Structures are given as C-alpha cells and as structure tokens.
C-alpha cells in the first residue's frame, strides 16, 4: 500500500532484489516507479519490469477485497496507512509502518516497545490501527521508526540543515542544543527491517523500534550535516522558543525534547545491523539528493530571521 515515495521506493527495490513479486497499490496519480539517485539506467529498467501495479483508492473497500483475494497476495506492507478504517478490509498478513511518535512523553528513556503510548498523539490513528491488528487474529508486525533520513526524504530533516549550510547562514537551534535524539537511514535501517520481518516467526504480532543505535544532540546533527556536505563548521545560534510567536510556522524540524528509543529488540529478533555511521548516512543523503540540486521544500528562512533579528537587538 503506497510505494511511490521515500520508504516505499527503497523497500520495493529490496523486495525485488530478494526475489519477491511486488505489486504497488496506489491511486495512480504519481508515476508508479521512479529512478533512484545513483541507480543506473539498466538497474532501473530491470526493477521497473518486475513491478506490477494495482490502481484504486484504499477507501474503496469492496474493490480492495476483491482485488487482493483474486491476486492471491501473501503479505501486505502498509507504508502510508494512518487510520484503522483504512486497514480493516485488507487484513491477512500485515506489516505496518507506525511511528515512535506514538509514545507518551516520559522522563525515562530510551523508549521501549512496552512503554506507554499517548492516546492523544497526533498519530493516534496509528495506535488505533495497531489495536485493530492485535484483535484481528491475523499475523502482523508493527515497525516504529524514530526520525527517518536519507535521499528523497519528504520530511525536511537533514534538508533543513543543508539549506542553511548552503546559504552560509547561522543555524538556529532551540534552547541549549543538547537535546538528544536519534536518526535511522531509510535504506540501511527501515527498509532492511521490513525485509527481515518477512517470514520471521519471531516477528509475529510484535512491535519494533527502528533507528540508528547511537544517539545524537541537535547541535551534533548540525555539525554532522556540515561535515557530510563539506561545509565549514556551522555557526549555531541558541534561542528560547517561548520568546517568539512564529505564527504556526515550524522553526525547527525536531520536537524540542529528548526523544530516542531502544533498538535492542529489533537487533536481537531481526538481526538488523544497526551500527551505520550517522556521518556516512548523511553524506549518502547529501550526495544523492541535495548536492544534485533536488529537495522537497524550498528554503524558508522567515523564522530564522525573526530569531537572528532578536539576537542582534539583544547584543
């Protein structure tokens, strides 16, 4: 379900490489396949020739039931499901992409898969979906990534830093900048974990956190992005978000708190090697995306200018 953006692009390739027959279910509004940065023409042609397409709206329940049963699918990967009502008609063997954002904020970290979740989370649809899976009797697995990064990332994580570094601008980071978080590369961690779940009895009816095994501070991310892109040491400006009214604009790409999760369970059950160096991953993302002049969102320095303006006045 999905498969034409970011996570699905890398997952579908890994599935094809593993010898699986892959069908992408989409509304058909975007190209079914696209060539990945760094992928040769021959590799892309071979991949495209092995992928099938099923067009429809996932809310057209009768169509989905008929289509899936007629085609004899064994497993459904749901990459873009947000609500339980979107999942109920296609349950059989189900591998679901959830989010670590469902955890209830806590003073005790890292988050484990057994930790309390927040029913008021903006991702509550993900929680309701898992609740449905747990009572359905089907074979399911739920994957909870923390922050995902990598080429073609539509969530401006590393891109936010790259825009400022390229423009030779200071990087505004909230509060002390020592907030600890965690990033996982889309191809090396997330897509690999999805593959490792398939046919693994240990993964049946289980939840797994997925991300890099090392934690990093906000300031550390800024410095790592600078190294990845070959930029000078960045000038980092710390500010108090309470001093500003950003008018609902997002001034920083991460939640302003410590936020990281244990990946020990995934490493043990799935055999996913989680020791991928953050700098190498960011370099891969930069070289195969931003350095080529491609990005998802244009640079917007509106909130930066508000922060820098106040800092200049204070000085």
């Amino acid at each position: 379900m999905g498969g034409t953006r970011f996570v699905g692009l890398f997952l579908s390739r890994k599935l094809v490489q593993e010898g699986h027959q892959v069908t992408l279910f989409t509304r058909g509004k975007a190209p079914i396949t696209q060539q990945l940065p760094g992928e040769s023409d021959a590799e892309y042609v071979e991949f495209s020739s092995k992928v099938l397409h099923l067009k429809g709206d996932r809310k057209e329940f009768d169509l989905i039931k008929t289509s899936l049963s007629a085609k004899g699918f064994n497993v459904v990967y749901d990459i873009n499901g947000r609500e339980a009502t979107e999942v109920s008609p296609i349950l059989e063997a189900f591998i679901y992409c959830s989010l670590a954002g469902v955890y209830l904020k806590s003073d005790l970290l890292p988050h484990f898969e057994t930790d309390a979740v927040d029913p008021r989370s903006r991702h509550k649809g993900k929680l309701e979906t898992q609740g449905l899976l747990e009572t359905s009797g089907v074979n399911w697995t739920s994957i909870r990534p923390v922050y995902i990064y990598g080429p073609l990332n539509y969530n401006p994580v590393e891109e936010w830093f790259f825009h400022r570094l390229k423009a030779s601008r200071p990087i505004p980071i909230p509060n002390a900048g020592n907030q600890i978080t965690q990033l996982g590369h889309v191809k090396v961690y997330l897509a690999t974990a999805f593959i490792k779940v398939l046919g693994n009895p240990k993964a049946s009816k289980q939840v797994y956190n997925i991300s890099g095994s090392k934690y990093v501070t906000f300031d550390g991310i800024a410095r790592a992005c600078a190294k990845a892109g070959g930029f000078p040491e960045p000038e980092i400006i710390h500010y108090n978000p309470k001093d500003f009214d950003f008018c609902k604009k997002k001034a920083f790409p991460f939640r302003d708190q410590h936020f990281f999760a244990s990946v020990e369970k995934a490493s043990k059950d799935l055999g996913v090697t989680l020791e991928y160096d953050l700098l190498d991953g960011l370099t891969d993302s930069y070289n195969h995306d931003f350095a080529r002049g491609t990005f998802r969102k244009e640079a917007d320095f509106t909130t930066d200018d508000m922060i820098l303006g106040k800092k200049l006045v204070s000085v």
Side-chain angles (χ1 to χ4, degrees):
M1 309 295 288
T4 59
R5 292 203 306 169
F6 197 36
V7 177
L9 292 173
F10 291 98
L11 173 57
S12 59
R13 275 161 175 78
K14 280 188 172 288
L15 286 168
V16 167
Q17 290 166 5
E18 293 280 328
H20 298 288
Q21 175 62 69
V22 176
T23 298
L24 303 181
F25 181 93
T26 78
R27 290 174 294 176
K29 294 184 177 181
I32 307 310
T33 62
Q34 62 173 289
Q35 191 167 1
L36 292 180
E39 184 177 47
S40 70
D41 292 343
E43 289 172 331
Y44 175 61
V45 169
E46 181 179 8
F47 167 74
S48 300
S49 69
K50 295 180 179 179
V51 174
L52 302 178
H53 180 235
L54 189 59
K55 181 179 178 180
D57 190 315
R58 64 184 301 152
K59 294 182 180 179
E60 296 175 355
F61 298 153
D62 291 338
L63 170 64
I64 295 176
K65 286 181 180 179
T66 303
S67 299
L68 295 190
S69 60
K71 299 291 183 179
F73 293 108
N74 301 117
V75 178
V76 172
Y77 279 96
D78 192 349
I79 305 303
N80 61 8
R82 296 182 179 273
E83 304 295 336
T85 53
E86 299 174 340
V87 173
S88 54
I90 51 177
L91 295 178
E92 185 172 334
F94 209 82
I95 302 174
Y96 186 62
C97 188
S98 183
L99 291 168
V102 300
Y103 289 117
L104 186 67
K105 187 176 181 180
S106 173
D107 293 327
L108 300 176
L109 294 169
H111 286 295
F112 286 88
E113 290 85 351
T114 53
D115 282 1
V117 293
D118 184 359
R120 295 180 296 179
S121 164
R122 66 187 183 93
H123 307 297
K124 65 179 181 178
K126 299 279 191 182
L127 286 177
E128 292 167 354
T129 299
Q130 185 178 318
L132 175 63
L133 292 170
E134 290 172 348
T135 59
S136 65
V138 302
N139 186 19
W140 62 271
T141 304
S142 181
I143 301 293
R144 290 178 180 169
V146 184
Y147 287 113
I148 313 168
Y149 74 104
L152 306 179
N153 191 359
Y154 54 79
N155 186 22
V157 175
E158 67 270 42
E159 178 181 291
W160 186 91
F161 292 91
F162 291 150
H163 271 307
R164 284 148 183 81
L165 290 164
K166 183 179 180 182
S168 300
R169 293 179 62 97
I171 298 181
I173 294 180
N175 293 308
N178 58 2
Q179 302 92 315
I180 299 171
T181 192
Q182 184 180 27
L183 283 73
H185 193 283
V186 61
K187 178 172 60 177
V188 177
Y189 293 138
L190 190 55
T192 299
F194 274 126
I195 295 291
K196 295 284 189 178
V197 162
L198 193 60
N200 187 338
K202 291 182 179 180
S204 178
K205 301 180 180 180
Q206 296 296 315
V207 176
Y208 292 102
N209 296 327
I210 289 293
S211 193
S213 57
K214 284 197 172 184
Y215 311 136
V216 61
T217 64
F218 289 170
D219 283 4
I221 295 172
R223 296 188 185 101
C225 284
K227 290 181 180 178
F231 297 103
E233 180 80 7
E235 178 186 0
I236 296 173
I237 302 293
H238 295 130
Y239 66 95
N240 185 348
K242 295 180 180 179
D243 292 341
F244 299 90
D245 179 7
F246 294 124
C247 300
K248 296 185 178 181
K249 277 185 170 290
K250 193 171 183 179
F252 193 66
F254 298 99
R255 55 180 69 189
D256 184 14
Q257 65 182 71
H258 297 307
F259 179 53
F260 51 98
S262 169
V263 294
E264 181 180 352
K265 182 180 177 182
S267 181
K268 180 181 177 181
D269 287 3
L270 307 180
V272 179
T273 302
L274 299 170
E275 295 297 332
Y276 193 75
D277 182 76
L278 177 61
L279 179 57
D280 288 343
L282 288 171
T283 302
D284 173 76
S285 179
Y286 182 81
N287 289 341
H288 289 100
D289 199 355
F290 197 87
R292 298 177 175 223
T294 56
F295 44 81
R296 312 295 86 71
K297 294 185 178 181
E298 294 285 346
D300 182 353
F301 302 129
T302 305
T303 57
D304 299 46
D305 291 340
M306 293 172 63
I307 294 164
L308 296 173
K310 186 175 180 64
K311 286 288 183 180
L312 289 172
V313 170
S314 298
V315 173

